[in-house]
Amino acid sequence: MVGRNDPCPCGSGKKYKKCHGKAQTVSVTDLVNDELFKVRQLFFSENPDQQELQAFRTHQQEWQPRLMQSMAEQDAQAFVIENYLFMKRPELWQEFLVKQIEQAQRPTTKNVLESWKDVTVFLGEYVEGDVETAQFKDVFSDKTYTMNDQPPTDMEDGQGLLAILLPDPRAGENGALFLNGYLTVVGEFGPFMERLNAAMGDVTDKEAYLHDHYLEVVEMIVKYSAGTVEDSIEFAPEHEAVMNELQKHIEQADFDEETVGNITSIMSSYLTSQQPSVQKPEALVAGYWRFLQDHELINGPMLSAKDLSEKFAVSSSTILKRSKEFAAYFEELLGKNA
């Protein structure tokens, strides 16, 4: 073993500590950062497991098509996974932490992991920051958090942020770090909060509202920041005809607002991403309707193959073919997170 004051084996004539030995020097901070990163990485690699998969897929079917109307697929996936694991099934994280705390050898790592039992949803304003540190003020508690572990570098003063927050005692009493699925409120934060407060109405526990209506708040942020996707997308004429045909049948059905939003979003996502050729809008909508029935995405009377054929004036074979195309698209979309 080469001593720090021995000549460097490379032949430079310098002491090892001032030559290649410098590359071997790693700070405790770097080691702790690496250990904490690996803990988070391991949690996501193990969860959701097979036992949780069905419940997760149900959650994913509800959330991901709606989110993909307003954000990139990778970002939508992060929101779905983090919401399920930390907000829908928080006990999974708590059970995982117990094991990691027992295995941790470094006191600093153990201390941070202990603090991670306290997971919160953060909504607040970016105060100031640089590449090394940033400060955020929580809109509900007025608490100012300090973030030293990979703070966002693309935010401007006065912008807002929605994120799942983990404490970070290394940065002080109000130290924090955010999970990957955070969302920036582009534009002035004040006007956005006026809209959100109007939506919350007379709710007294606004933090609970944020937790229970997380998806709606995410969609509100995106609409405030960039406008709705429906306003920004220009469908080709044949695809516009499909959306109009779908809307006609939606109006005839007794669907709640959430169901209408889900089935409209899935069709919109399919048209924009797959760009299918359309000779007869009724054929595509009929196949979609069968797909929705087969996957139990709509309630109400389930139409037989003959009923669907008569309803849309399309052959049963064409309806089956189109429904399989939707099923393949949907399974591929959801399978990326399985």
Side-chain angles (χ1 to χ4, degrees):
M1 180 176 178
V2 181
R4 286 175 49 77
N5 291 314
D6 293 339
C8 185
C10 75
S12 65
K14 298 180 181 179
K15 292 183 178 181
Y16 179 64
K17 66 181 181 182
K18 294 191 175 184
C19 192
H20 283 78
K22 294 173 64 177
Q24 305 301 319
T25 303
V26 180
S27 71
V28 173
T29 298
D30 291 336
L31 290 172
V32 172
N33 284 340
D34 184 58
E35 290 171 354
L36 294 173
F37 173 77
K38 288 179 179 178
V39 167
R40 301 196 299 273
Q41 191 177 46
L42 179 62
F43 178 67
F44 286 114
S45 69
E46 294 182 347
N47 293 280
D49 59 17
Q50 286 298 319
Q51 187 175 351
E52 292 288 328
L53 190 56
Q54 183 57 50
F56 170 71
R57 292 289 290 274
T58 299
H59 182 66
Q60 189 180 32
Q61 288 174 9
E62 175 187 353
W63 277 54
Q64 190 154 319
R66 287 173 63 177
L67 289 172
M68 285 184 62
Q69 294 307 297
S70 55
M71 62 180 65
E73 181 177 344
Q74 184 175 356
D75 294 332
Q77 290 172 352
F79 270 99
V80 172
I81 293 174
E82 290 182 5
N83 177 266
Y84 182 81
L85 295 179
F86 290 90
M87 299 172 69
K88 297 291 184 181
R89 297 281 280 123
E91 60 272 24
L92 297 176
W93 174 243
Q94 299 297 332
E95 293 168 2
F96 174 80
L97 277 181
V98 170
K99 298 178 183 178
Q100 299 305 310
I101 292 169
E102 291 176 353
Q103 296 173 8
Q105 300 297 316
R106 213 175 300 276
T108 302
T109 302
K110 189 182 291 286
N111 184 40
V112 174
L113 292 176
E114 286 282 0
S115 75
W116 280 3
K117 294 177 181 178
D118 183 19
V119 181
T120 58
V121 181
F122 173 88
L123 177 63
E125 187 175 358
Y126 177 80
V127 179
E128 62 180 355
D130 51 36
V131 296
E132 295 182 354
T133 187
Q135 291 187 321
F136 298 85
K137 186 176 183 179
D138 188 286
V139 70
F140 300 126
S141 68
D142 282 337
K143 183 185 296 184
T144 298
Y145 290 96
T146 299
M147 185 177 183
N148 292 342
D149 188 352
Q150 297 181 324
T153 57
D154 57 348
M155 295 190 67
E156 300 177 1
D157 295 353
Q159 286 186 335
L161 188 81
L162 174 70
I164 296 177
L165 179 151
L166 297 177
D168 187 358
R170 296 171 299 167
E173 182 180 357
N174 293 332
L177 60 82
F178 301 124
L179 297 180
N180 291 333
Y182 64 80
L183 184 63
T184 302
V185 182
V186 179
E188 288 298 321
F189 186 60
F192 166 76
M193 278 307 302
E194 292 178 3
R195 297 190 186 187
L196 180 58
N197 283 324
M200 289 190 291
D202 297 329
V203 172
T204 55
D205 191 343
K206 295 185 176 181
E207 292 183 67
Y209 179 95
L210 180 61
H211 186 284
D212 296 338
H213 297 81
Y214 200 67
L215 176 57
E216 290 86 348
V217 175
V218 168
E219 292 177 320
M220 185 180 295
I221 290 174
V222 174
K223 289 179 181 179
Y224 176 81
S225 300
T228 63
V229 171
E230 287 77 11
D231 291 337
S232 62
I233 288 180
E234 292 186 7
F235 287 112
E238 62 269 27
H239 294 162
E240 187 69 41
V242 171
M243 294 301 295
N244 291 337
E245 178 69 16
L246 176 62
Q247 185 61 36
K248 181 177 71 176
H249 291 283
I250 287 175
E251 290 173 355
Q252 296 171 1
D254 186 23
F255 296 145
D256 57 45
E257 184 177 346
E258 182 176 328
T259 299
V260 172
N262 285 341
I263 63 180
T264 302
S265 295
I266 295 172
M267 174 62 87
S268 177
S269 176
Y270 176 79
L271 293 174
T272 55
S273 64
Q274 303 300 301
Q275 293 292 310
S277 59
V278 180
Q279 295 181 343
K280 187 177 181 180
E282 295 84 352
L284 196 62
V285 175
Y288 184 51
W289 210 266
R290 173 163 179 171
F291 157 77
L292 293 172
Q293 289 189 168
D294 291 346
H295 287 72
E296 300 181 347
L297 296 175
I298 55 176
N299 297 318
M302 296 295 105
L303 304 178
S304 66
K306 180 181 178 181
D307 292 336
L308 286 169
S309 181
E310 293 176 352
K311 176 180 175 66
F312 293 95
V314 178
S315 69
S316 296
S317 60
T318 298
I319 294 174
L320 178 60
K321 176 185 175 183
R322 286 299 198 179
S323 69
K324 288 182 177 179
E325 292 172 358
F326 279 107
Y329 166 71
F330 200 55
E331 288 301 313
E332 179 182 1
L333 182 68
L334 299 181
K336 292 178 180 178
N337 275 338

